[in-house]
Amino acid sequence: GILSFGIADFGALLFNRQLRGEAWQVAVAETYRNHVVLVGLGHLGFRVARALHELDVPFVCIQLDPTAAIVSAVSDWRVPIVAGDALKKDVLLKAGIDRAATLVVATRDDMMNLQIAIQARSIKPDIRTIVRMFDDDFSREMCGAFGITAAFSASALAAPAFAAAAADVDVVQQVAVDGQVLTMSAITLAPASPLIGRTIGQIETDYDLSIVLQRRGKSADLHPANDKLLAAADELTLFADVPTLQRLKRMAE
């Protein structure tokens, strides 16, 4: 009887292309670790997916309707797309939520986004949760009440902010300058960081960024001099694009 069921399942996968495709997507997702789970591939979700792809951050998507035209573009990046309702525990598990580092929820329904985040945290309490909320006041309340890492309202800067947060870049502020989104973030230099011993000017020139604040102990230097040397435990507030900030964050550790 067990053999018969196995043969039946194999036959279904062999002759049903859609079922075979879904099984393959789940199988690929099972190989991911410390990745981002992105829920929703609408207009915002697609922009977040594109930004994550450009940042080379591994991610798995959950999409209720995997036949949507926008999904094919994400599939071309060889990103696993799990079909189903992200409110369901088994769908989240298929996307590897129990192994993921970050959850990004980008559907158009605020309450659904919140419910998905709560469901994910019930599976993995320490997961970073980045949630789309249309109402700024509501988003602030939800962050405090449910331990959500960050919540962003839908705006022109939303997609880069989502991608930056998912890539573990602490976003202080974002602005658009001449069509380019620049992000302000802060990093702290670990004792073994290769940035130690270099000057402010060298870092700004080599990585095309601006250091707007250097904090050392209780003293803070706004716009530090170019010849000032960096030391362990220095906290730097930087202004740059997200890929550069992500690179500097890794070098600071």
Side-chain angles (χ1 to χ4, degrees):
I2 294 173
L3 180 60
S4 298
F5 279 117
I7 293 173
D9 290 342
F10 176 76
L13 287 175
L14 183 62
F15 294 106
N16 188 327
R17 291 185 61 189
Q18 180 179 356
L19 188 60
R20 187 169 72 244
E22 291 175 1
W24 175 254
Q25 298 288 343
V26 173
V28 174
E30 287 179 351
T31 66
Y32 281 55
R33 298 289 187 279
N34 297 319
H35 57 290
V36 174
V37 174
L38 170 61
V39 179
L41 283 174
H43 293 298
L44 173 62
F46 175 73
R47 293 198 299 272
V48 173
R50 182 171 56 193
L52 289 173
H53 175 65
E54 292 172 352
L55 289 171
D56 198 26
V57 174
F59 66 101
V60 175
C61 295
I62 298 178
Q63 174 67 15
L64 188 60
D65 178 17
T67 62
I70 202 170
V71 174
S72 62
V74 179
S75 297
D76 290 342
W77 302 331
R78 299 183 179 180
V79 173
I81 301 176
V82 175
D85 184 353
L87 285 171
K88 297 180 178 179
K89 183 177 180 179
D90 65 310
V91 174
L92 288 171
L93 289 172
K94 286 179 181 178
I97 198 69
D98 54 327
R99 306 181 305 276
T102 305
L103 169 72
V104 176
V105 192
T107 79
R108 297 181 179 182
D109 189 321
D110 278 13
M111 291 309 300
M112 181 183 294
N113 292 347
L114 180 59
Q115 290 174 327
I116 292 171
I118 293 173
Q119 178 73 289
R121 288 180 62 83
S122 72
I123 300 171
K124 189 178 182 184
D126 61 342
I127 192 169
R128 290 168 51 83
T129 48
I130 316 300
V131 180
R132 173 182 185 168
M133 293 284 177
F134 282 92
D135 189 291
D136 287 332
D137 294 333
F138 182 61
S139 68
R140 284 190 291 270
E141 292 175 3
M142 292 307 99
C143 284
F146 296 99
I148 294 173
T149 308
F152 297 102
S153 60
S155 66
L157 299 177
F162 269 78
D168 200 18
V169 173
D170 296 324
V171 178
V172 177
Q173 184 66 46
Q174 288 192 316
V175 296
V177 179
D178 195 25
Q180 181 180 10
V181 176
L182 297 178
T183 300
M184 182 179 291
S185 184
I187 63 172
T188 301
L189 302 187
S193 171
L195 299 176
I196 293 173
R198 302 178 68 178
T199 67
I200 295 290
Q202 287 174 333
I203 301 299
E204 291 185 329
T205 300
D206 292 348
Y207 300 101
D208 193 22
L209 55 81
S210 294
I211 298 176
V212 297
L213 178 70
Q214 180 187 29
R215 185 181 300 278
R216 181 175 295 172
K218 295 183 179 180
S219 64
D221 188 357
L222 190 64
H223 299 298
N226 287 340
D227 59 354
K228 192 169 183 179
L229 295 174
L230 300 180
D234 277 0
E235 181 181 329
L236 305 177
T237 301
L238 314 172
F239 202 56
D241 58 29
V242 172
T244 301
L245 291 174
Q246 184 188 34
R247 182 181 178 188
L248 265 291
K249 180 179 177 65
R250 291 173 179 171
M251 295 182 68
E253 296 174 348

